[in-house]
Amino acid sequence: LIKISNLTKTYNSTAVPVHAVNNVSLSFEKSEFAAIVGPSGSGKTTLLNLIGGLDTPTSGKIIIDQTDIATLSESAMIDYRLHHIGFVFQAYNLIPVLTARENVEFIMLLQGISKQERRERAEELLTSVGLEGRFDSRPSQLSGGQQQRVAVARALASRPNFVLADEPTANLDSHSAEALLDLMEALNQKYEMTFIFSTHDSRVMKRAHRIITLVDGRVDKDETKK
Amino acid sequence: LIKISNLTKTYNSTAVPVHAVNNVSLSFEKSEFAAIVGPSGSGKTTLLNLIGGLDTPTSGKIIIDQTDIATLSESAMIDYRLHHIGFVFQAYNLIPVLTARENVEFIMLLQGISKQERRERAEELLTSVGLEGRFDSRPSQLSGGQQQRVAVARALASRPNFVLADEPTANLDSHSAEALLDLMEALNQKYEMTFIFSTHDSRVMKRAHRIITLVDGRVDKDETKK
Ligand SMILES: Nc1ncnc2c1ncn2[C@@H]1O[C@H](COP(=O)(O)OP(=O)(O)OP(=O)(O)O)[C@@H](O)[C@H]1O
Ligand SMILES: Nc1ncnc2c1ncn2[C@@H]1O[C@H](COP(=O)(O)OP(=O)(O)OP(=O)(O)O)[C@@H](O)[C@H]1O
Ligand SMILES: [Mg+2]
Ligand SMILES: [Mg+2]
């Protein structure tokens, strides 16, 4: 489904160039439930951004569903992301002027989903991440972990083929984190959604079916549980 | 050192009022190393903000060093915070146009510390949180966990009497988290700095000397290890 070949992203803003992602080659099949782990600064966010087409590589290829995403025009990439990729950002990136409900409905609105269906799906997802009663709160009225859960609900609402989640449980207590993992596993089973998350959280690592370890931008280990 | 009596913070923006902090009474002595834990939304950030004078209570008292901080004028509170409190925010709140080094030096500049001393202390702290070589990077050029470590270095640079740290290890791998805890414990011992952090991280809870558990804005448990 996703084939990454010799992917490199280099930044030249510092005295010594930073190879945030350094010659990475990886493949992901449909329905994977994979965790990318590694020290702070090892390249997890950069790798997820490259896979999601939010950033462009310095060199190397990313082929998704037999499309080399580097060849897509900007509008084709935006369109592809809208219909196929759900992204949970490390800093959530919620729209401050919209309520939790509106943030979750927004992507479905862009996808042309009916008002009725948007409303039902948004309420169902916000409830399953434990935010019942807070649908009409704005991000500034929510705790860090509550904002994180809105960001997750938003990524799942469009029922994407794949979800790229950057440290989706960083601000959650164990109970909320486990509930989130239950939800993601259920969607993985039911809709065959592929999940690729970066994490520092051992509770998430325990439930991943595959763990890819990055060190200094390189793949250090790639272990599949069976 | 800190005496909190019947502290309550209520928000009325939702259909049902939210008692973010609900009749909390707590005392902290000098040199404490205490963790505030509890589910997402249980009131940890709100409590830290109230103690740090960043928010005003709905009712109740906070007495720090025999000063009822609610009686301080806004400028007296700002001045008090500048010289006595170091704050690590859940969302870091770094200044985007300043480099890591400048963000850390900024508070010392406001405190009138000499240029030479500011430079040395900033470099020493950034090095001890593992950011050597990145002093001149701006927040947007740093990973989530790197930004988190700049925020911690900034809070410690002014050698405050107390440090209020809101989930200071949320985006850190185990190695970086342990290094941060070593640093905080060393400062706690050497300068008798009082540390009060909120956390979901079991690695941090293990090293706290006291664990206060919040549930729905109330103190559910308060355990001191010996
Ligand atoms: N402006 C506001 N209006 C309404 N409710 C608010 C507001 N600010 C915070 N709250 C609510 O107060 C409660 C406590 O929030 P707080 O941020 O203190 O929780 P927390 O324990 O820090 O959570 P987390 O672990 O997710 O960071 C939450 O239910 C939150 O939604
Ligand atoms: N614009 C930039 N200029 C220079 N270096 C950058 C830039 N953006 C990212 N980096 C560097 O690339 C490296 C990888 O960053 P990335 O955000 O991918 O790490 P990460 O594994 O997600 O870390 P964390 O666990 O802390 O979130 C880091 O050393 C970071 O400082
Ligand atoms: Mg990251
Ligand atoms: Mg919080």
Side-chain angles (χ1 to χ4, degrees):
Chain A
L1 187 63
I2 302 176
K3 189 158 169 51
I4 300 163
S5 321
N6 305 107
L7 190 66
T8 291
K9 177 72 183 187
T10 302
Y11 292 105
N12 290 304
S13 62
T14 42
V16 180
V18 176
H19 303 294
V21 171
N22 198 347
N23 198 21
V24 164
S25 297
L26 283 169
S27 302
F28 294 94
E29 308 297 313
K30 191 161 180 52
S31 278
E32 286 223 36
F33 203 72
I36 300 173
V37 306
S40 170
S42 58
K44 303 179 295 296
T45 293
T46 306
L47 180 58
L48 287 177
N49 285 348
L50 289 167
I51 297 172
L54 293 166
D55 195 3
T56 49
T58 305
S59 61
K61 267 192 170 48
I62 301 166
I63 299 181
I64 302 180
D65 258 341
Q66 301 170 31
T67 304
D68 178 351
I69 64 171
T71 65
L72 295 178
S73 68
E74 185 157 356
S75 54
M77 188 67 226
I78 288 172
D79 195 69
Y80 186 83
R81 263 210 308 282
L82 180 64
H83 292 102
H84 297 283
I85 300 177
F87 211 107
V88 185
F89 294 89
Q90 191 162 2
Y92 323 145
N93 296 13
L94 297 177
I95 301 172
V97 299
L98 299 185
T99 63
R101 185 208 302 274
E102 290 165 345
N103 263 285
V104 174
E105 290 191 16
F106 191 63
I107 290 188
M108 292 188 275
L109 175 64
L110 296 176
Q111 290 175 326
I113 291 173
S114 77
K115 185 167 183 173
Q116 164 94 350
E117 164 118 25
R118 291 202 306 270
R119 171 133 299 208
E120 283 176 12
R121 244 199 257 174
E123 296 196 353
E124 183 189 343
L125 274 164
L126 285 169
T127 300
S128 51
V129 297
L131 290 175
E132 204 166 355
R134 302 309 300 269
F135 300 161
D136 299 316
S137 294
R138 291 198 168 74
S140 61
Q141 298 170 327
L142 296 172
S143 77
Q146 290 168 336
Q147 292 177 37
Q148 187 153 41
R149 288 179 270 158
V150 175
V152 172
R154 176 176 68 171
L156 302 176
S158 56
R159 283 197 202 137
N161 303 30
F162 12 170
V163 177
L164 304 174
D166 202 347
E167 301 195 30
T169 62
N171 281 287
L172 300 181
D173 56 285
S174 287
H175 176 76
S176 307
E178 297 291 347
L180 208 75
L181 287 160
D182 290 343
L183 173 64
M184 301 205 290
E185 257 190 322
L187 293 171
N188 173 249
Q189 305 276 338
K190 181 172 177 184
Y191 297 105
E192 294 195 294
M193 272 185 202
T194 305
F195 280 84
I196 303 171
F197 23 80
S198 78
T199 189
H200 289 302
D201 191 339
S202 53
R203 306 165 299 203
V204 176
M205 292 181 213
K206 281 202 185 75
R207 302 199 37 184
H209 306 169
R210 173 184 180 189
I211 298 182
I212 297 157
T213 306
L214 293 185
V215 177
D216 291 331
R218 295 173 188 280
V219 176
D220 186 65
K221 275 191 277 186
D222 187 350
E223 310 162 283
T224 303
K225 303 179 187 173
K226 200 65 221 101
Chain B
L1 186 64
I2 303 177
K3 189 157 168 54
I4 300 163
S5 321
N6 306 108
L7 190 65
T8 292
K9 177 73 184 186
T10 303
Y11 291 107
N12 291 304
S13 62
T14 42
V16 180
V18 176
H19 303 295
V21 170
N22 198 346
N23 197 20
V24 164
S25 297
L26 283 170
S27 303
F28 295 93
E29 308 298 313
K30 191 161 180 51
S31 277
E32 285 223 36
F33 203 73
I36 301 174
V37 307
S40 171
S42 56
K44 305 178 295 296
T45 293
T46 306
L47 180 58
L48 286 177
N49 286 348
L50 289 167
I51 297 172
L54 293 165
D55 196 1
T56 49
T58 304
S59 61
K61 266 193 171 49
I62 301 167
I63 299 180
I64 302 181
D65 259 341
Q66 300 169 35
T67 304
D68 178 351
I69 64 170
T71 65
L72 294 178
S73 69
E74 185 157 357
S75 54
M77 187 67 226
I78 288 172
D79 196 71
Y80 186 83
R81 263 209 310 282
L82 181 63
H83 292 102
H84 297 282
I85 301 176
F87 210 107
V88 184
F89 295 88
Q90 193 164 0
Y92 323 145
N93 295 14
L94 297 177
I95 300 172
V97 299
L98 299 185
T99 62
R101 184 208 302 273
E102 290 164 346
N103 263 284
V104 174
E105 289 191 19
F106 191 63
I107 290 188
M108 291 187 275
L109 176 64
L110 296 177
Q111 289 175 327
I113 291 172
S114 77
K115 186 168 183 172
Q116 164 93 350
E117 165 120 23
R118 290 200 309 269
R119 172 132 299 210
E120 284 177 13
R121 244 198 257 172
E123 296 196 355
E124 183 189 343
L125 275 164
L126 285 169
T127 300
S128 51
V129 297
L131 290 174
E132 203 166 357
R134 302 309 300 270
F135 299 161
D136 299 317
S137 294
R138 293 197 167 75
S140 61
Q141 298 169 327
L142 296 173
S143 78
Q146 289 169 338
Q147 292 178 38
Q148 187 152 40
R149 286 179 270 158
V150 175
V152 172
R154 176 177 67 171
L156 301 176
S158 56
R159 282 196 202 138
N161 303 30
F162 15 158
V163 177
L164 304 173
D166 202 348
E167 301 195 30
T169 62
N171 281 287
L172 299 181
D173 55 286
S174 288
H175 176 78
S176 308
E178 296 291 348
L180 208 75
L181 287 161
D182 290 343
L183 174 64
M184 302 205 291
E185 256 190 322
L187 293 170
N188 174 246
Q189 304 276 339
K190 181 172 178 186
Y191 296 107
E192 293 195 295
M193 272 186 203
T194 305
F195 279 85
I196 303 171
F197 23 82
S198 77
T199 188
H200 290 300
D201 191 337
S202 53
R203 305 166 300 201
V204 176
M205 292 181 212
K206 281 202 185 77
R207 300 192 47 179
H209 306 167
R210 174 184 180 190
I211 298 182
I212 298 157
T213 305
L214 293 184
V215 177
D216 291 331
R218 294 172 188 282
V219 176
D220 187 63
K221 272 190 279 185
D222 187 351
E223 310 162 284
T224 302
K225 303 179 189 173
K226 200 69 217 97

